[in-house]
Amino acid sequence: MSNLLDIEGLERRELEHYLELAESFAEVQTRSIPKVPVLRGKTVVLAFFEDSTRTRMSFDLAARRLSADVVNFAVSSSSTTKGESLRDTVETISAMGVDGIVVRHSSSGAPQRITEWTDAAVINAGDGWHQHPTQALLDCYTIRRRLGSLEGKQIAICGDIKHSRVARSNIAAFTKLGAEVTVVGPRTLMPADLAAWPVRYSPGIDEIIGDLDVAYMLRIQQERQGAPLFPSVREYRSLYGLTRARAERLPARALIMHPGPVNRGVELDPEVMDDERTVVLDQVTAGVSVRMAVLYRLLGPGQFDETSKPPETSLAELAASTASSEPVGESPAAENVTSTDSASGEVATSFDALTSEVAV
Amino acid sequence: MSTLALRGGTVVDSKGERKADLVIDQASGRLIEADGVSADQELDASGCAVVPGFVDLHVHLRQPGNEAAETIESGSRSAALGGFTAIVSMPNTDPCTDSAAVVNDVMALAANALCEIKPSAAITLGRDGVALAPMGELAALGVRMFTDDGTGLQDDQLMRRALEYASSLVVDDGADIVLSQHCEASALSQGGVMHEGGWSSRLGLPGQPAEAEELMVMRDIALSRLTGGRVHLQHLSTAGSVEMVRQAKADGLPVTAEATPHHFSLTDAACAGYDPVFKVHPPLRTDVDVEAIRTGLRDGTIDAVATDHAPHTADAKELPFDQAPPGMIGLETAFALAYTHLGLSLMEIVRLLATNPARIAGLSDRHGGPIVPGRLANLAVVDLSEQWVVDGAATASLSSNSPFHGHSVTGRVRHTIFEGEPVVIDGKATR
C-alpha cells in the first residue's frame, strides 16, 4: 500500500500524474450527478487530530464523490490528551478495517509514524510545520489551469515560511515543476537553514513584485508560543501585505493565491480579494478534484505505477457511471467496460485530454 | 577466608598496564596480595583487560515516581552489565530528590543494588529554580553533587548564591560539593525538540540552537570565575561549549565537564524518521559538534563520559516526536561506544569512564582505581576483541529506548566485580 506523506518523496512524473488525473475528476464534478463508483466498498477515515473544517470537508466531499464510505474521527491532539499513545489510536482505527486514513495532526511527522502501525494507505492532510501535500497539488493544479505550466514561472511565497507546512510542500512542488521560487518576509519568519533551500530570499516584496507570475500569500499568526514574531499586524500589512498599491504593480498576467482562510486587510487588502487575478476560490474548487485524484490513486484500481499509462479502464468506468442514472449502482466488476456509445465518447475525450497534457 | 581470583587478565589503570592475577577477599570486598594459591572462586580473565569499575555521573533511575520505566534495582543491574560499579542518580524523581526524606528513601532502596548508587539532589526545591534546597542537610547525608538536571538553573543570582553557599559547606570526607548544570537557556531553547539547523528546518520541527546551551556554559564559567565555585557542566553537545570549557580550564577555573556517548556518536540526521527514540536534551547536533566532542574528550577538555541514561516506557516514545519525552538509555553501551568511536587507548578510556568521574563524584577512595591490594574491588573485565551488534531490546533496563539498536561496536564488558562480589559473569547478571 502506498501513501502520500510529502512532496519531496514524489518524482516530477508522479506529481504530474496526480495533476492530470485531477483534470478528469474536475470534469466529473461538472456533471449533474458528480459522483462515480470507483471507490465503492472502500472505507476512508478522516482522522483529524487538529481542527480543520475546510480541509476535512474537501476530503470528505472527494471521498463521497468517489463513492467511498467516510468516517470522521476527530480528537484533539492537545496536551490534555497526551495520555493516549498515537500508536494505540491508530491500531484501534485500523482494527475496524479501513482502506485509507487521512491524517491531520499538529505534530510534524505524525503521518509518517502512523504508517508503521497500519496497513491502510496514509494520506497526509497537514502535519505540524512539515508538509501539506494535497495543498501543494491543488496549488500546482490551479497555476497550471491558469498559466498553462509552472516551467520558468516566477513565484513569490510571502509570509511565515518557518512555521508553514504549505510553504514547505509548495516550495518542493513548484521547484520540481520548474518554477523559480522566492520567499519573502522578515527573518523571524524564515527557517534556520534557509540557505540550503532551493529558493531565493528577498526580505521585501516591493523589489520583486513587478516580475512575478504568482504572488502566494501565507496566512499569518502574530504569536507563536506567546512570543510576537513581528511588532504588529499593522506593520506586517505595511511591509508584507498585498495592498491595493502593491497589487497595481503586480503584472496583469499574474495570479494572487492564498491557502485560506484569508485575514482580510492583512495578507490581502479587501479590494485585492476581489481582484480578477485572485484565484483563492479556484484553489478551493481544485482541492476537491485533487483529493479525488489522490484517493483514487492510493485506494482505487489505478494505484501508481511509474511505467503505467493513465488509467484507461478506470476512466471508462467513470464514463460508464455517468451513463447510468444510478452511479453507485454500477458493478465495480465492470472494469473491462463495454459501455454505451455516449459513455465511450466521454472516455475518449477525457483520455485525449490526458494524453495531450502528458505530451506537453 | 573466602576468596575470588581473576586469572589471566591484563590490569589497566591510571598507573599503567601489567599482566597480573588478582585476588579478592570477599568478606571485606578488598583486593589482597596474590600469593599463587588457588582461590575459592576463579574467574577467567584471559584475553581480557581488568580495569577499575566505571563511574557514571549522570543516570536517571526513575525511582521513586516512575517505576514502570526503571527502578533503582533494574537500573543498577543495567549499570553492572555496562561495567559500572558506581552511578550518580539524578534528582528528577517524583517526588523530587530535594529533601532528606527522599535522599534517605533512595539510599534505602539502593541497599541491595548491583552497584553503588550515589544520589545527587536538586539545587532548588522541586527543581523549580526559585528557592535553594537544604544543601547542608543533604550534604550531611552524603550528597556531593547538586543539580536541577532536566532544566538549567535560569536565575543568575540564584546560581551565584548556590555556588557561594555550596563552596562554604564542610563535609567529613573533605570532598568538593559540586554544582552540576544542565546547560540550557530556556528562553532561547523554548519549544525546541531537536537541534536547530538544516534537519529541523526540513522536518518542520521546532529547533533549539546551539547557542541556548552555550549561553549557560558561558554564564556558569563566568559565575565560577566570580565565586570560585565548583561547577560541573553536564552533557556538552556543541563545539562552542567545548571551546569555552577549554579556555576556562586554561584560565585555571574549577570547572569540569562530561559528554555522552550519543553526543559523540550520533547527529541530528538521526531524527529524519521522526522516531522519538532520537529525541534528547540537549539534542543530537551536527558532524562538526560530534567531532569537537571527540576532540574534547581526547585532549582532556571534557573530563568524563557520562551516559545520561534516561529510560522511558515504550508508550511514552510512541507519541509524536514533539510530544514524546526526551531521553535515551545508555548504560550497557557506553563503554563499547567510547572504545569504538574515540580512538583512545584503554588507559585513556579508563580515565574518562572511571578515574575522572570517581574524582568528580567524590568516590575516589573506592572507585576509579588504582587496582592495588587494600583497595575495594570495584572492577570491570572487558574483552577488547569482541565485536557485537547492539540489540536495543536486550537490556536489563525496564525500558528499551536505545538509539543504538543495530549499531556495530567493538569491546564488551565480560565480568563486573562490585565490592568483591561478581555481579556480572560472562555478560550475565548474577542476581
Side-chain angles (χ1 to χ4, degrees), chain A residues 51 62 80 84 87 105 154-155 183 194 213 216 254 259-260 262 271 315 320 323 329 337 339 347 350:
Chain A
D51 285 342
T80 55
E84 183 177 28
R87 178 178 184 162
H105 204 291
Q154 295 296 323
I155 302 178
V183 294
L194 187 61
D213 296 295
Y216 197 104
V262 177
E271 297 83 353
L315 283 171
V337 173
S339 55
V347 173
S350 302

Side-chain angles (χ1 to χ4, degrees), chain B residues 236-285:
Chain B
L236 295 190
S237 70
T238 83
S241 295
V242 176
E243 188 49 43
M244 284 188 280
V245 172
R246 185 174 288 127
Q247 185 59 48
K249 288 192 161 187
D251 293 347
L253 297 176
V255 171
T256 55
E258 68 187 36
T260 70
H262 47 272
H263 287 120
F264 66 67
S265 306
L266 301 170
T267 68
D268 57 347
C271 302
Y274 295 99
D275 186 343
V277 80
F278 298 106
K279 179 177 176 180
V280 65
H281 289 173
L284 302 176
R285 307 279 187 185

Side-chain angles (χ1 to χ4, degrees), chain B residues 8 34 60 62 102 114 125 152 176 183 192 212 231 246 350 376 388:
Chain B
H60 297 272
R62 304 296 186 219
V102 181
L114 283 74
L125 289 173
D176 286 333
C183 292
V231 174
R246 185 174 288 127
V350 165
L376 268 178
W388 56 292

Side-chain angles (χ1 to χ4, degrees), chain B residues 97-418:
Chain B
T97 309
D98 62 0
S99 67
V102 181
V103 169
N104 282 328
D105 190 22
V106 170
M107 286 175 159
L109 288 162
N112 294 315
L114 283 74
C115 65
E116 179 166 356
I117 310 293
K118 185 76 169 170
S120 68
I123 301 171
T124 66
L125 289 173
R127 299 167 49 248
D128 287 340
V130 177
L132 291 181
M135 298 171 75
E137 186 183 1
L138 302 181
L141 293 175
V143 175
R144 295 291 175 269
M145 180 175 274
F146 290 86
T147 177
D148 279 1
D149 178 48
T151 54
L153 177 45
Q154 304 298 314
D155 184 323
D156 307 335
Q157 182 72 288
L158 191 58
M159 184 61 189
R160 174 192 179 166
R161 297 277 180 254
L163 280 166
E164 289 174 336
Y165 192 77
S167 64
S168 58
L169 292 172
V170 179
V171 289
D172 52 13
D173 59 2
D176 286 333
I177 303 296
V178 179
L179 295 198
S180 177
Q181 187 78 278
H182 171 120
C183 292
E184 180 181 337
S186 63
L188 189 57
S189 69
Q190 185 191 28
V193 299
M194 67 175 292
H195 174 65
E196 179 178 306
W199 277 105
S200 69
S201 294
R202 180 169 167 191
L203 295 169
L205 288 169
Q208 42 177 285
E211 286 74 6
E213 172 176 312
E214 291 160 2
L215 278 177
M216 193 167 281
V217 169
M218 188 186 299
R219 183 204 67 176
D220 281 358
I221 289 171
L223 290 178
S224 176
R225 195 186 306 274
L226 176 67
T227 63
R230 179 70 184 81
V231 174
H232 176 71
L233 302 168
Q234 298 180 333
H235 40 50
L236 295 190
S237 70
T238 83
S241 295
V242 176
E243 188 49 43
M244 284 188 280
V245 172
R246 185 174 288 127
Q247 185 59 48
K249 288 192 161 187
D251 293 347
L253 297 176
V255 171
T256 55
E258 68 187 36
T260 70
H262 47 272
H263 287 120
F264 66 67
S265 306
L266 301 170
T267 68
D268 57 347
C271 302
Y274 295 99
D275 186 343
V277 80
F278 298 106
K279 179 177 176 180
V280 65
H281 289 173
L284 302 176
R285 307 279 187 185
T286 68
D287 288 328
V288 171
D289 297 303
V290 167
E291 197 44 56
I293 298 296
R294 291 181 181 183
T295 302
L297 285 162
R298 288 182 197 122
D299 70 13
T301 300
I302 303 172
D303 303 83
V305 169
T307 64
D308 193 5
H309 177 85
H312 290 289
T313 56
D315 57 306
K317 288 289 190 179
E318 283 164 0
L319 291 166
F321 195 95
D322 58 350
Q323 291 179 13
M328 40 186 64
I329 62 171
L331 286 165
E332 291 170 52
T333 48
F335 168 71
L337 289 161
Y339 190 68
T340 304
H341 290 304
L342 295 180
L344 290 173
S345 70
L346 183 59
M347 204 169 132
E348 292 166 305
I349 299 283
V350 165
R351 175 173 56 83
L352 293 170
L353 267 167
T355 315
N356 288 350
R359 175 173 45 80
I360 293 166
L363 294 168
S364 289
D365 61 329
R366 53 195 188 274
H367 293 276
I371 299 173
V372 292
R375 293 270 304 185
L376 268 178
N378 287 312
L379 305 168
V381 178
V382 294
D383 183 347
L384 298 181
S385 64
E386 184 169 344
Q387 298 185 319
W388 56 292
V389 177
V390 177
D391 176 355
T395 174
S397 172
L398 298 184
S399 299
S400 55
N401 53 310
S402 169
F404 299 108
H405 179 72
H407 281 233
S408 295
V409 290
T410 302
R412 194 158 201 181
V413 176
R414 198 154 145 200
H415 316 306
T416 305
I417 316 294
F418 169 52

Side-chain angles (χ1 to χ4, degrees), chain B residues 7-12 17-22 45-48:
Chain B
R7 305 253 187 231
T10 303
V11 173
V12 178
E17 183 177 320
R18 58 205 179 274
K19 273 287 214 192
D21 291 349
L22 299 175
S46 56
C48 293

Side-chain angles (χ1 to χ4, degrees), chain A residues 203-220:
Chain A
I205 189 169
D206 293 318
E207 299 88 315
I208 58 169
I209 197 161
D211 300 319
L212 293 179
D213 296 295
V214 176
Y216 197 104
M217 314 304 287
L218 294 171
R219 179 178 167 81
I220 59 109

